[in-house]
Amino acid sequence: MCGIVGYVGNKAATNIIISGLHRLEYRGYDSSGVALLNPRTSRLNIVKTPGKIDDLETSLAAEMPAESTGATLGIGHTRWATHGEPNRVNAHPHLSRNGEFAIVHNGIIENYIALKSRLAQEGFEFVSDTDSEVIAQLVEQCYEGDLTRAVAATLEMVEGTYGIAVISVHHPSTMVAARKGSPIAVGICDGETIVASDVSAIVQHTKQVIFLNDGDILTATGDNVEVVSVKNVPVSRETTHIDWDIDQIEKAGHEHFMLKEIHEQPTAISNATRGRLVDSEGTTKLSGMQMDPYEMARIDRILIAACGTSMYAGMVGKNYFEDFASIPAEVQQAAEFRYRNPIIQRDTYMLAISQSGETADTLAAVREAQRKGATVLGVCNVVGSTIARETGRGVYLHAGPEIGVASTKAFTCQVSVMAMMAIALGRTRRLSTQVGQRMVREMMSLPEMAQAVIDQEEDIRRIAEKYAKAEDFFFIGRGYMYPVAMEGALKLKEISYIHAEGYHAAELKHGPIALLGEDVPVVGLVPDIQGKDKTIGNMQECMARKAPVIAIATEGDKDIDAHCDDVIRIPPCAEFLTPIPVVIAEQLFAYHVAKIRGCSIDQPRNLAKSVTVE
Ligand code: M6R
């Protein structure tokens, strides 16, 4: 989705903005631009271009006046088109009519048509098809010498969501930023302030970050930041220390972030479980849940709201809560939640699962559940993200930054975290110390297990090569493998552009089997779990229709070869943990298929890392 980087301070803004925009590339975008305040002419110079940041750099070199490149105030943007095609004119920043104000905007202004037609009647001309341009014109119209007040007056008129940064020729050392529904982080350095929609654009400069809340307006110079509400009441925001390293957001020798993140899973899972598995008591300790055993024992229903990969992790989690803690659990696609008028009872708890902590639909589900009186816990990866802050309690994944658009380590850590939550809840109910201990010990071997799958990458790559030309795929599984089948299909389709569907193995013959044939490979998920034999039966049905079958099975399962064409083997493990090694095998398979097909793996077409619009 769109990204913002703004700089005010004592250094040349261009490099800082461009390197920040590079860091935001993973979010997905189709055009970009930069506005700099030219210190000699006191004019705002803007360069924009469709395409990649490399194209923007070329355009900057060709079009930006030389003295502007030394500017110490500027804003930059990566745009993921919503209103108007991805071309130069629609790219941000947008200038106001008189050229005195430049803005960048993430989010959607819902009443832009009404605002635009009113402004047009008053003589404002619009050059783009975007909703965002109205903000630039409104700031100009509202300006009476105070940029912050002009922004506040503008924001009182707009409906929708925004993260914005605004600069003006009248304030050569000031940047104003604001948020409602679209994140803005503020990096505090010595003599410099960096505003960005994502901390990954900031951490190389400073680890001290303020996160704006909805309704906050920031006025920043190099030496000072002030935050007020739209009504101009000063508010204080805590500084958060970000413990991500720059190395963590580099590729570290891997060809793609996705591959790096697949390989990081043994470490990510260690970090997610470190200090949380209590062998002696056969339980887990998750202080972020902020719950005593009495409260845990009272929960009588769990609602899980999430999207995409996080939703599939939630479906695994549902099984955990029901199997280990006997708590009825339900997974809802987060976008459905607020429009369905769901039933929330007194002891209903909601889990909002989101790697980014910024997914618009999941955030909306959180707010709706809170409005209805539910206790909501976040299961997020990004520290300080909106969902993490608004839920106030929950469990961080500690998976480290996930940059590749295809979610990998977040899934395995989400599943690990929910297993730990379910064990803790189960221990306040029917789960015995002995069973708890066995589960905790099994979880301790997860990093090793993840590594054992990664060690087979070359075999998986060979199998990927054999099937990379297929244009349709099915993934089938049952029980714990049903959501993992959907996740495997999602991984393959999003990065290789192969049409892939994840189905419950039993459902195949209720329709989809009509599509099978020799060009449609089926991946059967058959580790040693309950129901495996039935899925093998379904794989036989596929082979009878000439579909090539790839099995993901447990090492040592000699019989499986008779039921498939190729086998990817995972190490033996407890049934409840099988989603982790199986999904890693699927991730590696999807990665190598996409690589063989020459796809843009870290930034697949049309996709954004964090979906901050409905
Ligand atoms: O940040 P979130 O976990 O809330 O993101 C949810 C989905 O947008 C995300 O999982 C998406 O499906 C990924 N591209 C899947 O790889």
Side-chain angles (χ1 to χ4, degrees), residues 307-310 354-356 359 405-407 490-491 494 611:
C307 301
T309 290
S310 298
S354 174
Q355 185 285 131
S356 61
T359 299
V405 164
S407 194
L490 173 63
K491 230 52 332 152
E494 70 180 327
V611 182

Side-chain angles (χ1 to χ4, degrees), residues 122-134:
E122 292 164 14
F124 283 86
E125 279 169 21
F126 288 82
V127 293
S128 78
D129 303 320
T130 67
D131 53 333
S132 311
E133 196 183 352
V134 294

Side-chain angles (χ1 to χ4, degrees), residues 196-501:
S197 50
D198 183 324
V199 286
S200 55
I202 295 177
V203 284
Q204 78 183 104
H205 306 287
T206 178
K207 302 277 172 63
Q208 302 305 112
V209 174
I210 292 171
F211 293 98
L212 296 193
N213 278 2
D214 278 355
D216 287 354
I217 302 179
L218 166 93
T219 308
T221 62
D223 300 315
N224 192 34
V225 294
E226 278 169 18
V227 184
V228 295
S229 68
V230 179
K231 300 283 178 215
N232 205 18
V233 179
V235 287
S236 103
R237 295 284 166 239
E238 272 176 29
T239 306
T240 304
H241 180 84
I242 302 295
D243 55 8
W244 289 0
D245 268 333
I246 194 69
D247 298 352
Q248 288 179 278
I249 52 175
E250 302 283 2
K251 286 187 204 147
H254 292 280
E255 197 174 338
H256 297 98
F257 280 114
M258 182 182 178
L259 187 63
K260 175 184 174 240
E261 288 156 9
I262 292 172
H263 280 245
E264 276 173 352
Q265 288 177 106
T267 313
I269 297 168
S270 295
N271 292 341
T273 52
R274 178 167 304 121
R276 290 169 163 177
L277 298 170
V278 189
D279 185 11
S280 56
E281 292 165 35
T283 190
T284 62
K285 281 214 162 40
L286 299 158
S287 51
M289 285 173 77
Q290 298 170 32
M291 263 185 226
D292 57 24
Y294 174 75
E295 185 179 356
M296 286 191 186
R298 233 183 43 208
I299 300 175
D300 67 6
R301 188 163 154 248
I302 293 178
L303 279 180
I304 297 173
C307 301
T309 290
S310 298
M311 181 176 72
Y312 298 141
M315 289 169 73
V316 176
K318 166 195 156 69
N319 289 332
Y320 291 160
F321 295 119
E322 294 189 340
D323 292 352
F324 312 157
S326 311
I327 303 175
E330 197 180 311
V331 182
Q332 300 215 343
Q333 209 292 336
E336 277 296 293
F337 187 82
R338 71 173 140 163
Y339 298 114
R340 270 197 58 235
N341 196 17
I343 299 162
I344 306 276
Q345 286 141 333
R346 209 184 55 199
D347 292 320
T348 299
Y349 279 59
M350 180 198 254
L351 286 191
I353 307 174
S354 174
Q355 185 285 131
S356 61
E358 302 294 348
T359 299
D361 286 324
T362 312
L363 179 58
V366 166
R367 290 176 177 162
E368 181 60 17
Q370 286 173 331
R371 233 172 264 131
K372 286 182 158 25
T375 303
V376 186
L377 280 83
V379 175
C380 299
N381 189 36
V382 178
V383 175
S385 57
T386 309
I387 293 174
R389 285 181 298 126
E390 291 201 10
T391 50
R393 54 161 130 165
V395 186
Y396 276 122
L397 304 183
H398 298 310
E402 190 181 71
I403 307 289
V405 164
S407 194
T408 53
K409 59 180 178 173
F411 180 92
T412 45
C413 291
Q414 286 162 341
V415 167
S416 306
V417 161
M418 280 183 287
M420 290 188 289
M421 292 174 101
I423 292 172
L425 294 172
R427 293 287 286 115
T428 65
R429 293 151 192 257
R430 297 284 310 137
L431 202 70
S432 67
T433 313
Q434 289 74 17
V435 176
Q437 268 174 339
R438 205 171 62 225
M439 295 174 84
V440 161
R441 284 175 195 158
E442 279 156 350
M443 288 201 71
M444 284 172 171
S445 64
L446 268 176
E448 216 177 291
M449 216 183 291
Q451 190 57 51
V453 184
I454 293 166
D455 290 345
Q456 294 176 64
E457 182 169 359
E458 185 46 29
D459 291 342
I460 298 174
R461 191 198 62 73
R462 266 198 296 271
I463 298 174
E465 204 160 36
K466 192 165 159 192
Y467 296 99
K469 288 205 173 76
E471 288 306 331
D472 301 279
F473 254 90
F474 278 89
F475 286 70
I476 58 169
R478 58 183 72 219
Y480 282 117
M481 289 300 112
Y482 173 38
V484 180
M486 289 192 280
E487 172 59 8
L490 173 63
K491 230 52 332 152
L492 188 66
K493 72 185 122 194
E494 70 180 327
I495 59 167
S496 74
Y497 313 143
I498 293 175
H499 163 237
E501 302 205 33

Side-chain angles (χ1 to χ4, degrees), residues 478-481 525-533 575-576 578:
R478 58 183 72 219
Y480 282 117
M481 289 300 112
L525 308 182
V526 282
D528 285 342
I529 62 168
Q530 219 188 336
K532 159 186 151 179
D533 292 342
E575 175 160 357
F576 79 104
T578 50

